[in-house]
Amino acid sequence: MSPVVGSAFFLFYLLALCNASGADIALDAKATLLHRIDSLNLLIYTCLLTLTVLTIWVFKHRRVSWLHETGLAVIYGLIVGAIIRYASSTNQVTYIDAHPAPDTKYNLSVPPDILRFRFPDKIQISSGDTVPNKTYAYSFRGEIVNLEQNEIDLKATFDPEIFFNIILPPIIFHAGYCLKRKYFFRNLGAILTFAMVGTALSALVIGALMYGFVQLMPASLASSFTFLDTLYFGALISPTDPLTVLAIFSQLKVDVNLYAMIFGESVLNDAVALVLSGAIQNYEKRYSVDGGFEITAFLAAIGDFIGIFSLSLLVGALLGCFTALMTKFTHVRDWPLLESALFVLMSYAAFLIAEVFELTGVVAVLFCGICQAHYTYNNLSSDSRNRTKQLFELLNFLAENFIFTYIGVSMFTFPKHHFDPWFIIAGFLTSTLGRAVNIYPLSFLLNLGRKPPIPMNFQHMLFFSGLRGAMSFALAIRNTVSEARQAMLTTTSLIVIATVVLQGGAATHALAYLRIPTGQGQNDENEALPYRDVRSLYQATDSGRPTGDVGFGLRNLDAPTASSDMATETPRSGEAGEKARLARLWGALDSRLLKPLLTHARPPLTETLPGFLSPLARILTTTRQYTQADNSLRRTDSDSDLCLDEPQPVPTSIDPQQLWPGLVDTRISVEGITGSNI
């Protein structure tokens, strides 16, 4: 080969390398641009959360109570979303029109999950030459509404699955982990009624009313809605998120029974609404032949709801109990960092296991949190207790505020909104009526056998506390393909914003208008994890109860007695009625079997199990259970004040030193214990 020919081949080789390297450089530049946009997107939300935190500090410093942190997050999100939508420069996103081949065998009624696009490597093609190509995969993002979009518009919205798999689990787990309140168990019957029966009833009422309103709307919108669509809207808009109201309750030390009913209902109705919405979605797809009402399909949907909820609950409870056993029978507490890591991973595993088996992870992680708080917490080292409490409180704070910030931003940047004024007005009206149906009729039925009954001002506050929040928005944004689902998302977002900002800001005025008592209450760090400043009296719901009675079942030591020769106080029938019957039965089983099995609590299983199970009882009982004093666990147990047992007669003349050694100030007031050093 001559040098000239060799040089020519070498030159063509260099040109080919330059072309290849030029394509790689262009791809690197595209990847760099996408990385910068992603970083800018995260920076925007980080700055919003930082601004929210700083504003919260100013509000707390200035004692501003008319706007809560979630309302701030929504308002800041709306402002930034408007800036992104209208103030930023708009550039056309590059695109190529691709049409399916005429002989394609794919079902074109549903978009494919991945589109494999074969792009030619050479633009200039000689006839008869073999055309090399590159194949690119594009994931399905949804229907394109407007091609003239800014890149940041597309990046300012997240995959809805991020909410369910990353953001919601710590929020729900934190709610379960903080359910260690004695008044939650005392009001267990009312909480279960409002959360389960009330949520289902509210969804049915909202769905039926919305279907009637939709039929009166223009035909273009009415034709896109079926009864199952409106019923799904009723299910997603029924769960409540009264975070703002509860924060104000905590600051003003409102009666804990009202607090427990609102908090407990909001925790459980999220899980109920999620399972209910799934059952409604599966009704037409899995059971009904033509989408109409069929009694067999309806009963199958009810069975699906009960089965999924129960199995999800079982998964979460089993993971929580298994974690308790591991922390009890191992020495992992000697390494608090590993112990905390194990606690977090096992808790998140409950969510993932339920999702893998097509159950509901939210229900699983909720009841896992309840079991972790009730059992595992007692086995943890002091470092792990503090670390897990603070970690999940921080994650809950950031996740909640991120969701409300995103709700505000997405009102302007999310491309799938459909604003229909009539549907929005109907959504506000029916959600209000659904909340009323949830509270007032069920309160009437509960009061027929409840001692003491739920006062009318408490019922009004329960109705007022029906703020919508993270769960409603997450359910609405999960599917926005059809016009009906887009209208649901827009209406849900507006309802969430209005209730959080307006109702949350008016909570203090509502308390004053309804004359719900507030005041200084107990400050028991061990009764609840993040909410510690709540009143302990039950006087607002039992006006006939003597003011000398306090929440612990003791009498005021300074209160005069009716008779000097009365040595003991006989428990009143109303006092026993305060505690839910279900809670009393559960308390007996828990204290005699489950607590000794899963924790180091006494009495040991060797004393509570039958004699023929003595070998098994000795294996499951630790040395610590034999050697510790009977009341040693009660000093460190974070839920030691659940008061699930039957009330015992307590002497009116009692030496507090016998109950709390080391007590400096032994005075017991009406509000609770005022000892300066317990």
Side-chain angles (χ1 to χ4, degrees):
M1 182 181 295
S2 65
V4 176
V5 176
S7 300
F9 275 107
F10 182 71
L11 180 60
F12 283 119
Y13 178 72
L14 290 178
L15 290 175
L17 289 178
C18 290
N19 290 333
S21 62
D24 291 338
I25 291 174
L27 291 176
D28 289 341
K30 183 66 174 178
T32 302
L33 177 61
L34 294 177
H35 174 72
R36 290 179 56 196
I37 294 174
D38 289 336
S39 300
L40 176 61
N41 182 30
L42 295 176
L43 178 62
I44 289 173
Y45 287 103
T46 302
C47 292
L48 282 173
L49 292 176
T50 303
L51 184 61
T52 302
V53 170
L54 293 176
T55 311
I56 292 171
W57 171 78
V58 173
F59 277 25
K60 289 183 179 295
H61 182 68
R62 300 293 181 182
R63 299 183 182 276
V64 177
S65 60
W66 52 268
L67 186 61
H68 188 251
E69 58 206 41
T70 53
L72 277 173
V74 169
I75 293 174
Y76 285 150
L78 288 170
I79 295 173
V80 173
I83 293 174
I84 294 175
R85 180 68 177 83
Y86 298 109
S88 59
S89 61
T90 302
N91 61 287
Q92 187 175 6
V93 179
T94 59
Y95 68 94
I96 295 178
D97 292 329
H99 303 280
D103 58 346
T104 181
K105 298 180 180 179
Y106 181 78
N107 180 14
L108 297 178
S109 62
V110 179
D113 297 327
I114 296 178
L115 180 65
R116 291 185 297 182
F117 180 64
R118 294 183 177 180
F119 190 80
D121 189 31
K122 296 180 179 180
I123 302 300
Q124 296 181 354
I125 304 174
S126 301
S127 58
D129 294 339
T130 302
V131 181
N133 66 76
K134 294 182 178 180
T135 302
Y136 299 94
Y138 292 85
S139 299
F140 175 72
R141 288 195 56 177
E143 182 184 1
I144 297 296
V145 179
N146 180 19
L147 293 177
E148 300 288 336
Q149 285 183 318
N150 196 340
E151 288 278 2
I152 190 64
D153 267 352
L154 297 176
K155 291 295 181 178
T157 58
F158 293 93
D159 187 344
E161 293 303 312
I162 293 179
F163 289 98
F164 279 90
N165 295 329
I166 298 177
I167 298 177
L168 276 182
I171 295 176
I172 302 299
F173 180 84
H174 177 263
Y177 199 43
C178 297
L179 267 180
K180 301 155 68 74
R181 311 187 64 85
K182 60 183 176 183
Y183 288 96
F184 170 83
F185 291 98
R186 286 191 174 186
N187 296 276
L188 187 61
I191 290 172
L192 292 177
T193 302
F194 289 136
M196 304 193 74
V197 180
T199 301
L201 184 62
S202 174
L204 180 62
V205 170
I206 294 174
L209 292 177
M210 283 300 296
Y211 186 73
F213 278 117
V214 166
Q215 300 309 308
L216 301 177
M217 295 179 186
S220 59
L221 184 64
S223 60
S224 62
F225 277 91
T226 64
F227 180 69
L228 289 179
D229 289 328
T230 59
L231 196 61
Y232 179 79
F233 176 75
L236 70 87
I237 206 64
S238 294
T240 60
D241 189 6
L243 183 66
T244 304
V245 176
L246 294 175
I248 294 174
F249 281 13
S250 180
Q251 294 172 3
L252 299 180
K253 304 175 179 61
V254 178
D255 187 279
V256 290
N257 295 278
L258 176 61
Y259 186 103
M261 284 188 285
I262 295 176
F263 180 60
E265 182 207 358
S266 68
V267 169
L268 295 180
N269 66 15
D270 282 351
V272 172
L274 184 58
V275 180
L276 182 62
S277 62
I280 294 172
Q281 285 180 309
N282 292 332
Y283 176 82
E284 182 176 6
K285 178 177 65 175
R286 189 179 301 174
Y287 303 114
S288 181
V289 176
D290 57 356
F293 180 79
E294 301 174 3
I295 186 63
T296 56
F298 177 72
L299 295 176
I302 294 178
D304 194 14
F305 169 80
I306 297 174
I308 291 177
F309 190 92
S310 302
L311 291 176
S312 302
L313 186 155
L314 183 63
V315 168
L318 288 178
L319 263 292
C321 294
F322 182 65
T323 310
L325 289 173
M326 285 196 299
T327 54
K328 175 183 178 181
F329 292 104
T330 65
H331 295 282
V332 70
R333 62 177 290 143
D334 296 337
W335 292 273
L337 181 60
L338 300 180
E339 185 182 36
S340 302
L342 178 66
F343 182 91
V344 174
L345 293 175
M346 293 296 294
S347 302
Y348 190 52
F351 175 85
L352 297 178
I353 290 175
E355 291 293 326
V356 166
F357 288 98
E358 296 185 351
L359 302 175
T360 304
V362 168
V363 177
V365 78
L366 169 65
F367 286 94
C368 179
I370 294 175
C371 291
Q372 299 280 43
H374 194 58
Y375 300 115
T376 310
Y377 183 90
N378 302 313
N379 300 333
L380 299 179
S381 61
S382 58
D383 290 343
S384 295
R385 291 182 182 182
N386 295 330
R387 183 180 290 117
T388 55
K389 287 190 296 183
Q390 295 170 1
L391 172 63
F392 284 106
E393 189 173 358
L394 175 63
L395 292 177
N396 174 75
F397 174 82
L398 293 177
E400 284 272 8
N401 283 278
F402 172 81
I403 288 182
F404 285 105
T405 300
Y406 182 76
I407 291 173
V409 173
S410 66
M411 286 300 300
F412 293 95
T413 62
F414 194 74
K416 303 297 182 60
H417 281 293
H418 180 80
F419 290 87
D420 186 280
W422 296 112
F423 189 85
I424 293 172
I425 293 173
F428 273 92
L429 291 176
T430 55
S431 62
T432 303
L433 292 175
R435 182 64 182 171
V437 171
N438 185 341
I439 298 302
Y440 295 108
L442 296 182
S443 296
F444 173 78
L445 295 177
L446 285 169
N447 286 342
L448 295 178
R450 179 183 169 93
K451 296 294 179 68
I454 303 174
M456 186 56 67
N457 60 344
F458 276 28
Q459 297 180 35
H460 294 330
M461 198 65 209
L462 284 166
F463 168 77
F464 183 83
S465 301
L467 285 69
R468 271 59 172 189
M471 181 57 70
S472 296
F473 177 76
L475 287 173
I477 202 174
R478 200 170 193 179
N479 179 6
T480 56
V481 175
S482 66
E483 183 180 0
R485 293 300 177 91
Q486 295 171 7
M488 291 182 197
L489 171 63
T490 303
T491 303
T492 301
S493 300
L494 292 175
I495 291 175
V496 170
I497 293 173
T499 55
V500 168
V501 176
L502 300 180
Q503 284 183 243
T508 304
H509 303 287
L511 288 172
Y513 178 78
L514 296 175
R515 298 181 180 180
I516 294 177
T518 60
Q520 184 65 34
Q522 72 178 15
N523 186 17
D524 184 0
E525 295 182 359
N526 290 331
E527 185 183 336
L529 298 181
Y531 309 107
R532 295 189 292 264
D533 300 322
V534 189
R535 293 186 63 204
S536 62
L537 289 183
Y538 201 62
Q539 59 189 21
T541 58
D542 190 5
S543 57
R545 186 173 179 172
T547 58
D549 288 341
V550 297
F552 293 96
L554 303 177
R555 280 186 70 89
N556 184 358
L557 296 185
D558 297 330
T561 57
S563 175
S564 59
D565 57 353
M566 180 180 288
T568 59
E569 178 186 50
T570 304
R572 298 168 179 81
S573 59
E575 189 173 330
E578 291 173 10
K579 302 169 186 176
R581 295 181 179 90
L582 180 60
R584 293 200 302 272
L585 295 175
W586 167 256
L589 174 66
D590 183 58
S591 61
R592 304 290 293 178
L593 177 61
L594 296 180
K595 267 289 182 70
L597 171 64
L598 301 174
T599 70
H600 299 285
R602 289 180 60 87
L605 292 175
T606 52
E607 299 179 9
T608 59
L609 290 181
F612 66 91
L613 293 177
S614 296
L616 178 63
R618 285 193 294 269
I619 295 174
L620 297 176
T621 303
T622 61
T623 305
R624 180 179 170 186
Q625 288 177 275
Y626 288 119
T627 57
Q628 69 182 359
D630 289 339
N631 62 346
S632 60
L633 180 60
R634 183 164 290 272
R635 296 178 183 278
T636 59
D637 187 357
S638 65
D639 62 349
S640 58
D641 294 320
L642 287 175
C643 297
L644 296 177
D645 300 328
E646 292 289 347
Q648 300 295 330
V650 179
T652 56
S653 299
I654 186 171
D655 184 8
Q657 293 286 348
Q658 297 176 358
L659 294 179
W660 302 284
L663 185 67
V664 175
D665 184 1
T666 60
R667 180 182 179 84
I668 297 180
S669 67
V670 174
E671 296 292 340
I673 301 174
T674 61
S676 58
N677 182 18
I678 297 180

